Amino acid sequence: MAVDYQPYVDVVNDLITERPGTVVLAFLLVTGLFAIGLGGVSTSAGTGQFAQDIPEEQAFQEVNQKFSPTFDGSTGSTQLIQRSENVLSRTELLRMLRAQERLTDRSGLRVSSTSSAASIVAQQLDPKATTPEAQRRAVEGATETEIKEAVRRADERNPRFSGLLSKDYNRRSASASATIGVVTHDLSVETGSGAGQGGSSPLTPIQQEATNVVNSVGGDIRVFGAGIIAEEFGAVIGDTLAIVVPAAVVFITFFLLVAYRDLADLALGVVSLLMGLIWTFGFMGLAGIPFSQILITVPPLLLAVGIDFGIHAVNRYREERVQGIGIDDAMRTATDQVIVAFFIVTGTTVIGFAANLTSQLVPIREFGTVAAIGIVFTFLIFGIFLPAAKVKLDHAREAYPIPTISETPFGGGESRLSAVQGLGVGVARVAPAVFIGALLLTSGVTAVYATGVSTTFDNEDFLPPEEVPEYYDYAPEQIQPRDYSVTTTLNFLQRNFESGQGDTTTVYIEGQLREDSALESIHRAGDDPPETFVRSDGRADETSIVTVIQDHAERDPEFRRLVERNDVSDNGIPDRNLGAIYEYLLDSPARGQALQYITEDLRSTRVVYAVESDAAQSDVTDDTRAVADRYRYDATATGNTVVFQAISNLILGSALVSLVVALSGTAVFLVFMYWLLIGRASLGIANIVPVAITVTAIAGSMRAFGLSFNAFSATILAITIGLGIDYSVHITHRFADEYEELGRDVYESLERTVQGTGGALTVSMLTTVFGIGVLMLSLFPAIGQFGLLTALSVFYSYLASLYVLPSVLVIWSWVAG
């Protein structure tokens, strides 16, 4: 039996119609309070935000913390990417060495070491040249012929030499078109003056200043690293908002103007939308939730629901006013109906968004929290503030000459739009069961097809395109995006080097490393590497305590003799008296490098393997685990690639779990609410059918368009439910009222329902599709895809509500009576 909720609605109606000024003032005061929180909103960007609380990431950080100095936060590195017709020519070698020398001499950059192919070549010319200055002099004093011979010797003697050169490296001609130098910075001391500003990474100001230093040597040498990436990660958020927000405002204003056809009503709608955003962002600032890239999607979603609520509230009120009913009575009749529908929509939308709280990924949980809270704010503003402001406005119109352009509802009567919207009712009259049966069969096939949607998580999801589309040239100069270099550089590294920036994987080993066979075991694990690993002389291209020992043996004759005395197998790897080997190494200038790969207690070590830049994350992860199994000690596969693969797996799980939670939670809520408010629980099931069809349609569209679940689209299925239910609830709730009022005449009830709400649904859909669709202009490819999918989900929901739901309701009437 239905519960009498009218007394509660009457309380709200009394506030809206009898004390509208007080209501408006109270909401404006609350807006002022939330505005205080706007100053506390910080930003967060990049892939690191998604790695929070991930077991694989926590394990990776624990491994990193055991090694110093590189991974304890006290050092950082900068890459010097040099391009030329031949980077191994005398002129280009000198340019690289001059860059290293000038960077080293600049105290503010805190350079602790530098390395490059040029350095290795210089040391072949003069083994005593250990500083960039000495290496530069060695090259300056050599002829081109001597340099070519030095290049060949470097290739023979140093296994890492060729890895610093591009794929087109030719040993015979001693030529290559690109090379990478590495500069290590000491971050353990406070930054002095002279560094640039920007970014959230301590390396950002360092690499900004390094760019100016390197430019002074001439040629084509680009500074690259975590600082540059962090700065562009942050900057692209602002550039995206500068483009998306104005475009959204233009589209939303246009369609709202079409819907309201009255400037004063339009102003009320826009003010209400702005209030919703201020409340939401103010809450974020007060709650300490940073504004991340995924939260760029929240404002359009809130605008979508707010636009829908505003149009329905004003349209329903105008339906009463055109019949000559007074302001207060018309608003009471309108709110009697729409506030209940708004409450149901809010509940189901909150469930859809809050379903993302089940995700193990922190940013997705934050998205669910912010979106759900924002929807509640939207309900309060458009359910109470907007009607009160509208009553206040219309009473003022009676007393003052405020222009009134139009007060008629949108899409009603015998208009062409009304005729098109009524096609769904026509199908429901002729063959509803056949139509729904065919749709359910098609949806089943689509659901099976959608199981082929892939899952990805990659830095590229967060980066701007390599080339900014030409249509941005038509934007005002003030909001045109800057030129970004990160994606171009990353793509260059991937195309030209066996292993690009960050293309490594790690095996962490625990055991008694003093055992005679310890280093041999580490070395043997790299034999016959899997396909995704970069090969060097038939072995995996790796960096480990073994390579540190080999490198230091080349520089230190006494250490070399110690290694040779303890190398029983005569393969350059000591296999006895390892304690003495480690002790000598840790007391030498190579101590810092050694501690990057072995702990002081000699019980833990790590091996870093270079992997093919175009290898799939899943393949690299599987191969790393396979190599880890080769060790006779406890070995664990870890590293960024393994972490990214774990996040990728969680994204799919998040999408599926949030879908199940959203769909089941929404169904239970609707059944309960229709039982509680109307006494017809089965209407809740009817309400959910078009939404379920929409979900399968959007999933099938993802595969058809070649889109994958990523950090942003993982939320799309739950969002489809949250937004899609909005349209079907308006139809179902209005139908329920008409059904009882017309003596259960199902077809006439559907006709009046579609005629009364169809226009508002149409303009709401258009506004939302274009308002959210502007996300396709985003400089983040993943957000552009999210905008496309969300706009599609709204459009599919609209079609399902107008053209599928009428047939479902006819079948419901046959069953429920």
Side-chain angles (χ1 to χ4, degrees):
M1 186 171 179
V3 173
D4 183 12
Y5 58 84
Q6 192 59 46
Y8 304 102
V9 176
D10 288 341
V11 172
V12 177
N13 279 333
D14 290 342
L15 287 173
I16 291 173
T17 58
E18 296 178 10
R19 306 182 66 184
T22 303
V23 171
V24 169
L25 179 60
F27 273 78
L28 291 177
L29 288 175
V30 173
T31 302
L33 293 176
F34 276 117
I36 297 174
L38 294 178
V41 179
S42 60
T43 60
S44 174
T47 57
Q49 56 187 310
F50 286 88
Q52 299 177 60
D53 298 340
I54 302 300
E56 288 79 1
E57 169 67 8
Q58 293 173 345
F60 186 35
Q61 293 302 323
E62 289 174 7
V63 169
N64 288 342
Q65 290 169 6
K66 290 191 175 184
F67 300 96
S68 65
T70 299
F71 292 96
D72 63 356
S74 63
T75 67
S77 65
T78 293
Q79 289 75 46
L80 303 178
I81 304 170
Q82 183 180 25
R83 289 182 281 190
S84 173
E85 185 175 338
N86 181 14
V87 295
L88 296 177
S89 67
R90 184 174 181 275
T91 299
E92 296 302 326
L93 289 175
L94 286 173
R95 279 188 174 137
M96 175 62 81
L97 291 171
R98 287 193 189 102
Q100 294 174 229
E101 182 180 359
R102 293 179 187 182
L103 291 171
T104 302
D105 291 342
R106 188 69 66 96
S107 60
L109 299 180
R110 293 165 287 158
V111 175
S112 57
S113 66
T114 65
S115 62
S116 66
S119 297
I120 296 173
V121 171
Q123 287 183 311
Q124 300 304 313
L125 295 169
D126 180 4
K128 296 181 181 180
T130 58
T131 66
E133 180 182 6
Q135 292 164 0
R136 173 180 56 79
R137 290 174 179 171
V139 174
E140 285 177 337
T143 65
E144 288 286 357
T145 300
E146 289 173 332
I147 288 175
K148 286 186 177 181
E149 288 300 321
V151 169
R152 297 187 183 102
R153 288 197 304 272
D155 189 32
E156 293 172 355
R157 298 175 182 178
N158 194 315
R160 291 188 296 170
F161 177 73
S162 61
L164 296 173
L165 299 169
S166 52
K167 295 177 182 178
D168 62 0
Y169 164 58
N170 187 308
R171 180 177 180 273
R172 174 171 295 183
S173 63
S175 65
S177 63
T179 184
I180 300 175
V182 179
V183 180
T184 303
H185 306 275
D186 181 6
L187 304 181
S188 60
V189 295
E190 292 296 325
T191 306
S193 61
Q197 300 298 319
S200 58
S201 166
L203 284 170
T204 297
I206 289 175
Q207 289 173 355
Q208 288 175 335
E209 183 175 348
T211 298
N212 296 328
V213 173
V214 170
N215 288 342
S216 69
V217 305
D220 185 359
I221 303 178
R222 173 170 292 178
V223 173
F224 189 66
I228 300 294
I229 294 175
E231 192 275 333
E232 291 200 2
F233 267 150
V236 75
I237 291 181
D239 284 353
T240 294
L241 289 175
I243 294 168
V244 168
V245 172
V249 168
V250 169
F251 281 119
I252 289 172
T253 301
F254 172 75
F255 284 109
L256 285 181
L257 191 57
V258 171
Y260 291 128
R261 288 154 295 136
D262 185 89
L263 293 179
D265 285 354
L266 173 65
L268 284 183
V270 171
V271 168
S272 299
L273 291 172
L274 291 176
M275 286 175 60
L277 294 180
I278 292 172
W279 284 30
T280 303
F281 281 98
F283 163 78
M284 287 175 57
L286 296 174
I289 299 175
F291 186 77
S292 61
Q293 286 148 314
I294 193 172
L295 291 181
I296 291 176
T297 61
V298 170
L301 293 175
L302 298 183
L303 292 176
V305 176
I307 288 166
D308 176 78
F309 281 5
I311 291 174
H312 274 90
V314 173
N315 218 52
R316 187 68 186 87
Y317 167 75
R318 287 180 176 182
E319 286 184 44
E320 299 300 316
R321 289 286 286 156
V322 294
Q323 298 178 37
I325 299 175
I327 295 173
D328 294 347
D329 289 340
M331 186 58 74
R332 281 182 174 275
T333 302
T335 53
D336 278 348
Q337 186 176 87
V338 299
I339 202 168
V340 176
F342 288 175
F343 180 78
I344 296 174
V345 168
T346 300
T348 53
T349 306
V350 166
I351 290 172
F353 289 161
N356 291 292
L357 295 175
T358 60
S359 175
Q360 292 181 265
L361 301 173
V362 173
I364 292 181
R365 293 204 301 271
E366 291 178 344
F367 166 83
T369 299
V370 173
I373 293 293
I375 290 300
V376 173
F377 291 160
T378 301
F379 165 70
L380 294 174
I381 291 169
F382 284 89
I384 300 175
F385 169 79
L386 179 64
K390 177 63 174 169
V391 168
K392 190 72 174 175
L393 172 65
D394 283 2
H395 278 304
R397 276 175 164 154
E398 293 181 343
Y400 304 100
I402 299 175
T404 301
I405 300 174
S406 176
E407 281 290 298
T408 58
F410 183 83
E414 302 298 325
S415 66
R416 292 182 180 180
L417 175 61
S418 179
V420 173
Q421 292 169 346
L423 293 177
V425 178
V427 173
R429 287 179 179 275
V430 177
V434 174
F435 179 57
I436 295 301
L439 275 179
L440 292 177
L441 178 62
T442 303
S443 295
V445 173
T446 303
V448 173
Y449 172 73
T451 58
V453 177
S454 61
T455 308
T456 62
F457 182 80
D458 196 90
N459 261 324
E460 293 181 0
D461 291 339
F462 301 84
L463 294 174
E466 185 170 4
E467 294 184 4
V468 177
E470 292 184 2
Y471 53 76
Y472 285 111
D473 295 339
Y474 298 100
E477 184 177 351
Q478 294 83 353
I479 65 171
Q480 284 186 7
R482 54 182 275 188
D483 291 328
Y484 292 97
S485 63
V486 168
T487 305
T488 301
T489 303
L490 289 173
N491 289 340
F492 175 81
L493 291 173
Q494 181 172 326
R495 288 191 300 265
N496 292 277
F497 291 86
E498 291 291 340
S499 180
Q501 162 75 6
D503 292 321
T504 61
T505 188
T506 302
V507 174
Y508 171 63
I509 303 108
E510 292 181 297
Q512 182 47 262
L513 299 179
R514 295 177 184 270
E515 293 181 359
D516 292 344
S517 60
L519 295 181
E520 287 284 2
S521 173
I522 292 173
H523 183 70
R524 283 195 301 270
D527 292 337
D528 189 24
E531 292 185 2
T532 62
F533 282 40
V534 174
R535 292 172 178 257
S536 178
D537 296 329
R539 288 181 38 77
D541 183 354
E542 65 186 61
T543 308
S544 67
I545 188 61
V546 173
T547 61
V548 173
I549 290 172
Q550 292 173 331
D551 288 348
H552 191 60
E554 288 186 7
R555 299 187 181 94
D556 187 334
E558 182 180 349
F559 184 64
R560 181 166 62 248
R561 289 191 292 271
L562 176 63
V563 171
E564 290 173 349
R565 287 197 304 271
N566 292 283
D567 181 12
V568 177
S569 58
D570 195 29
N571 63 350
I573 301 172
D575 42 22
R576 69 179 181 184
N577 198 21
L578 297 189
I581 300 289
Y582 298 140
E583 182 178 356
Y584 188 105
L585 191 65
L586 294 176
D587 287 338
S588 73
R591 170 185 173 82
Q593 187 180 10
L595 288 177
Q596 295 177 28
Y597 299 97
I598 194 169
T599 54
E600 292 223 46
D601 62 6
L602 306 180
R603 291 183 177 275
S604 303
T605 187
R606 70 184 182 96
V607 182
V608 179
Y609 295 98
V611 296
E612 297 289 349
S613 58
D614 57 352
Q617 289 177 1
S618 58
D619 293 338
V620 171
T621 299
D622 292 342
D623 288 347
T624 305
R625 289 171 176 160
V627 170
D629 290 339
R630 298 179 180 181
Y631 287 87
R632 54 188 297 267
Y633 301 104
D634 290 334
T636 304
T638 184
N640 280 326
T641 302
V642 176
V643 172
F644 277 20
Q645 181 58 33
I647 295 174
S648 180
N649 293 336
L650 286 176
I651 285 173
L652 179 60
S654 174
L656 296 178
V657 171
S658 63
L659 171 62
V660 172
V661 171
L663 198 57
S664 58
T666 298
V668 170
F669 179 80
L670 287 175
V671 167
F672 174 74
M673 290 305 300
Y674 280 114
W675 169 78
L676 181 69
L677 301 177
I678 303 175
R680 291 183 176 275
S682 56
L683 266 177
I685 301 300
N687 205 155
I688 206 72
V689 171
V691 178
I693 291 174
T694 298
V695 169
T696 59
I698 202 68
S701 296
M702 288 183 68
R703 182 174 179 184
F705 294 149
L707 304 179
S708 60
F709 285 118
N710 55 39
F712 298 92
S713 59
T715 63
I716 192 63
L717 298 182
I719 287 174
T720 299
I721 295 173
L723 292 180
I725 207 71
D726 189 345
Y727 293 88
S728 61
V729 163
H730 284 301
I731 292 288
T732 304
H733 188 265
R734 178 68 177 267
F735 167 80
D737 286 348
E738 300 290 353
Y739 188 67
E740 295 300 329
E741 183 178 327
L742 295 173
R744 301 187 181 183
D745 184 334
V746 63
Y747 299 113
E748 182 61 24
S749 299
L750 286 173
E751 291 282 3
R752 289 179 59 172
T753 295
V754 171
Q755 188 178 67
T757 63
L761 285 178
T762 299
V763 74
S764 174
M765 178 274 295
L766 290 173
T767 309
T768 304
V769 165
F770 281 92
I772 291 181
V774 298
L775 288 175
M776 295 173 63
L777 299 175
S778 170
L779 293 168
F780 297 110
I783 290 184
Q785 294 173 9
F786 177 87
L788 170 64
L789 291 174
T790 307
L792 277 177
S793 71
V794 170
F795 181 62
Y796 291 164
S797 299
Y798 166 80
L799 293 180
S801 297
L802 277 184
Y803 302 107
V804 176
L805 186 54
S807 293
V808 174
L809 292 174
V810 169
I811 295 173
W812 169 84
S813 70
W814 295 348
V815 176

